[in-house]
């Protein structure tokens, strides 16, 4: 099960459907260089899996120590 709190960016918890980068690995450009931004398709996939795992009311927040899932984050916003 993907863990959204252990990577430097939550979206890294899932593999990229666009460039094929594995979970935990930053997106690549076709040239093989590191992309400036993570692919949009990966963000959408991460959202889908996150909601599947934590429910539609959850969000993820950044703390000084890293990322944390807030189970009611979206319900409050
Ligand atoms: Zn990618």
């Amino acid at each position: 099960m993907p863990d959204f709190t252990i990577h430097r960016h939550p979206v890294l918890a899932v593999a990229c459907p666009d460039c094929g980068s594995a979970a935990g690995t930053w997106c690549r450009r076709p040239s093989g260089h590191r992309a400036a931004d993570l692919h949009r398709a990966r963000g959408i996939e991460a959202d889908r899996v996150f909601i599947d795992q934590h429910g539609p009311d959850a969000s993820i927040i950044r703390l000084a120590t890293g990322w944390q899932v807030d189970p009611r984050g979206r319900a409050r916003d």
Side-chain angles (χ1 to χ4, degrees), residues 16-21 26-28 35 37-40 42:
C16 184
D18 192 330
C19 66
S21 289
W26 201 266
C27 282
R28 289 183 305 261
D37 294 307
L38 296 165
H39 287 118
R40 188 174 138 71
R42 192 179 197 175

Side-chain angles (χ1 to χ4, degrees), residues 41-72:
R42 192 179 197 175
I44 293 167
E45 174 65 3
D47 261 5
R48 190 187 65 75
V49 174
F50 183 85
I51 290 168
D52 228 40
Q53 201 173 307
H54 297 285
D57 291 341
S59 65
I60 192 153
I61 51 174
R62 183 166 213 165
L63 306 175
T65 48
W67 298 94
Q68 189 175 63
V69 173
D70 178 348
R72 301 283 300 151

